[in-house]
Amino acid sequence: MLLKVKKKTRRKWTEEGSLEEEIKFDVEILGVISTVYKFQGMSDFQYLVMHSEPDGKQTSMYDKVLMLKPEKEDFFMNELPLYIPPPIFSRLDNPIDYYYRPDVHHREGYRNPPLSSENLIGLSRARRPHNAIFVNFEDGEVPSKPLEAAVQTWKKVCSNTVDHQAEAELKKLFELRPVWSRNAVKANISVHPDKLKLLLPYLAYYMLTGPWRSLWVRFGYDPRKHPEAKIYQVLDFRIRCGMKYGYTPNDMPVKAKRSTYNYSLPITLKKPGSHGLGIQDLKQGLSTSGTSGAKSPVMSKYKLKDSIYTFEEGSLPPYRQMFYQLCDLKVESLQKIIHRNDNMEAACTERDGWCLPKTNDELRDTMSLMIRQIIRSQRPALFRNPSSTTEGKEQLTFESGEEEEEEEEEEVFKPSDGSENEMETEILDYV
């Protein structure tokens, strides 16, 4: 019911000299409401397309700017008042009470994070630095040791046996191989992703550009000076699709790593995913939590499958875009392309590294042909009738991993804030 409530307050002075208030409420029922709308957050702002006339009259421009049907050229040539919508409405989707609270008193030694034009007014907070060292291909010398802040941060959270074991295992990996991708590290050791963000800058630096971009390199090792480092170069491979290849994106039996339907801004009221972890959480040893009767530690679930970083003959990649190191292409024909110029490497270039020119293009062509043959054998109906997109829609399971287990891994390893490119996502974790 829609009620009209009127509060009447009557004040008078008593004989004793005190002020007395008499309050009375008048309630009137105006009608019955048949439809009610409820919002978990603030309802979307309605910005009306209005124009103010010189006499103060408001004129609606709705019919003049909204196209309800295909229009001729005259529609676009009409003279209209300048209409520019606001660039941003609100940073939050739920209302809050400010109450003009006093400034927060931080502990001694705290410094406010530096402000930049990117986060001064925007949709997200400033990034938390993880003390990683970034190196470009054209830079001079490579770092030989980590930043002191990275050392102190890791020592602060490395407080149990499992953490020391993860540190020793990662050191052993970098002794066996000086260059690793983060996915390859996750597939070889069991460590919580939040701790891995702190452990990697402690043992390696990050390459931003060149043939080893998006990879972690052991401190003191410069792949630009060692021709044998060409096997560690990165290959950005993306599965090709389209009618030219016999299947469309909707028909492709390889799912995308991220879906726009599940994406939400960091400020969304009801966003999926786990809560952030603090230093105290990391100190308490996330890897040792769980029931004492478990057959294996909870930490084992953080270890990825080998298919997340290796390419093998007869199996499909787990995602449509993959970053492979050349040594992780486990196919003889691909390795022959890589090693064509062994012991004859002349110079290391930013595009091709120690390989011959166009090596990456030849690798992509060969891998695309192999994937096309796999899809042809698994779903021959697509190639018999390319225009048919309704047949054979059932989801297939391939050697890259069972569907249910892959879903579990995606829930555990959520990507960072919304980047579509894996390399950009990893960079943003440390910027």
Side-chain angles (χ1 to χ4, degrees):
M1 292 184 296
L2 180 61
L3 304 179
K4 179 181 180 182
V5 181
K6 185 180 294 184
K7 177 183 178 182
K8 295 181 179 179
T9 303
R10 184 178 179 183
R11 298 180 179 88
K12 64 178 181 178
W13 293 93
T14 61
E15 296 178 355
E16 291 80 9
S18 60
L19 185 62
E20 232 179 41
E21 287 187 354
E22 182 182 348
I23 301 176
K24 182 181 179 182
F25 291 93
D26 291 337
V27 182
E28 179 184 357
I29 300 176
L30 300 182
V32 178
I33 299 175
S34 59
T35 305
V36 178
Y37 296 93
K38 294 182 179 180
F39 298 91
Q40 293 178 333
M42 290 191 294
S43 59
D44 190 16
F45 291 107
Q46 301 296 320
Y47 193 81
L48 303 180
V49 190
M50 305 295 293
H51 175 65
S52 299
E53 301 291 345
D55 57 357
K57 182 181 178 182
Q58 297 287 333
T59 304
S60 174
M61 298 171 56
Y62 184 82
D63 296 330
K64 298 180 180 180
V65 299
L66 183 65
M67 287 196 306
L68 301 177
K69 61 180 181 179
E71 300 286 352
K72 297 182 179 179
E73 184 180 1
D74 297 340
F75 176 83
F76 301 98
M77 302 304 294
N78 289 333
E79 293 291 336
L80 291 176
L82 180 62
Y83 168 69
I84 302 177
I88 189 171
F89 288 104
S90 174
R91 294 181 60 180
L92 304 174
D93 66 350
N94 58 318
I96 60 172
D97 295 323
Y98 184 71
Y99 292 133
Y100 296 96
R101 301 180 182 89
D103 293 337
V104 178
H105 296 286
H106 296 283
R107 64 185 181 277
E108 186 178 355
Y110 174 82
R111 294 183 180 180
N112 289 322
L115 295 177
S116 67
S117 58
E118 296 180 355
N119 54 58
L120 186 59
I121 299 178
L123 295 176
S124 60
R125 59 163 173 79
R127 295 274 174 184
R128 296 190 181 98
H130 290 79
N131 305 307
I133 300 179
F134 298 98
V135 176
N136 290 294
F137 181 81
E138 63 273 8
D139 291 346
E141 296 297 323
V142 299
S144 59
K145 60 180 181 179
L147 298 175
E148 183 61 28
V151 177
Q152 296 300 327
T153 302
W154 174 246
K155 296 300 183 183
K156 188 182 299 183
V157 302
C158 181
S159 57
N160 56 64
T161 307
V162 178
D163 296 334
H164 290 288
Q165 181 181 353
E167 178 184 342
E169 290 179 354
L170 187 56
K171 285 182 178 179
K172 188 179 296 184
L173 288 181
F174 277 111
E175 290 174 1
L176 296 174
R177 177 165 138 186
V179 186
W180 289 86
S181 66
R182 185 162 66 168
N183 277 342
V185 171
K186 289 180 179 180
N188 283 274
I189 64 174
S190 288
V191 58
H192 191 279
D194 290 315
K195 286 199 173 183
L196 185 60
K197 287 182 182 180
L198 305 178
L199 179 56
L200 279 172
Y202 175 63
L203 298 175
Y205 64 91
Y206 188 86
M207 289 289 287
L208 284 174
T209 57
W212 297 276
R213 62 190 178 278
S214 77
L215 302 178
W216 291 90
V217 185
R218 184 182 67 209
F219 282 120
Y221 183 81
D222 191 349
R224 300 168 298 180
K225 298 179 180 180
H226 300 277
E228 64 272 12
K230 73 176 179 180
I231 62 174
Y232 306 127
Q233 293 176 195
V234 70
L235 174 68
D236 182 358
F237 176 73
R238 310 179 190 194
I239 298 181
R240 300 168 181 172
C241 61
M243 301 310 298
K244 173 182 177 182
Y245 303 100
Y247 46 89
T248 62
N250 292 333
D251 297 322
M252 190 186 302
V254 180
K255 58 187 176 181
K257 181 174 295 186
R258 302 178 181 93
S259 171
T260 54
Y261 297 104
N262 297 328
Y263 175 74
S264 62
L265 289 173
I267 57 171
T268 306
L269 180 62
K270 288 202 170 184
K271 58 182 179 181
S274 59
H275 65 282
L277 297 173
I279 294 295
Q280 285 300 117
D281 298 321
L282 295 176
K283 276 186 175 182
Q284 292 172 2
L286 297 171
S287 58
T288 57
S289 60
T291 59
S292 58
K295 295 182 179 179
S296 59
V298 179
M299 209 56 183
S300 61
K301 70 179 180 179
Y302 298 125
K303 193 172 184 179
L304 299 184
K305 299 178 180 179
D306 289 343
S307 61
I308 201 68
Y309 77 101
T310 62
F311 180 83
E312 298 183 3
E313 193 168 4
S315 62
L316 289 172
Y319 301 112
R320 298 180 187 179
Q321 180 184 10
M322 298 292 296
F323 289 91
Y324 292 112
Q325 289 182 257
L326 300 186
C327 59
D328 295 325
L329 303 178
K330 309 294 185 180
V331 181
E332 185 178 356
S333 59
L334 299 178
Q335 290 300 321
K336 287 182 179 179
I337 298 176
I338 298 169
H339 292 282
R340 287 177 301 178
N341 65 331
D342 280 359
N343 302 320
M344 295 183 295
E345 296 89 349
C348 180
T349 62
E350 183 173 0
R351 177 179 175 85
D352 301 297
W354 294 105
C355 295
L356 292 175
K358 304 294 184 181
T359 296
N360 285 354
D361 294 336
E362 294 184 37
L363 292 173
R364 293 189 186 102
D365 292 340
T366 305
M367 295 168 67
S368 297
L369 181 60
M370 295 172 61
I371 289 175
R372 180 186 172 113
Q373 292 173 348
I374 296 173
I375 297 178
R376 181 190 293 272
S377 63
Q378 297 286 352
R379 308 184 71 169
L382 291 176
F383 295 86
R384 287 199 300 267
N385 186 11
S387 62
S388 175
T389 58
T390 58
E391 297 180 359
K393 288 292 183 180
E394 64 275 3
Q395 181 67 35
L396 299 178
T397 302
F398 298 98
E399 295 180 14
S400 58
E402 291 79 3
E403 194 68 14
E404 295 181 358
E405 295 183 8
E406 283 289 330
E407 290 296 336
E408 286 183 3
E409 289 174 0
E410 287 193 353
E411 290 179 5
V412 174
F413 296 96
K414 290 291 182 182
S416 298
D417 303 341
S419 174
E420 295 179 357
N421 185 290
E422 182 178 326
M423 186 181 77
E424 295 174 2
T425 297
E426 186 167 359
I427 293 175
L428 289 176
D429 281 342
Y430 292 91
V431 173

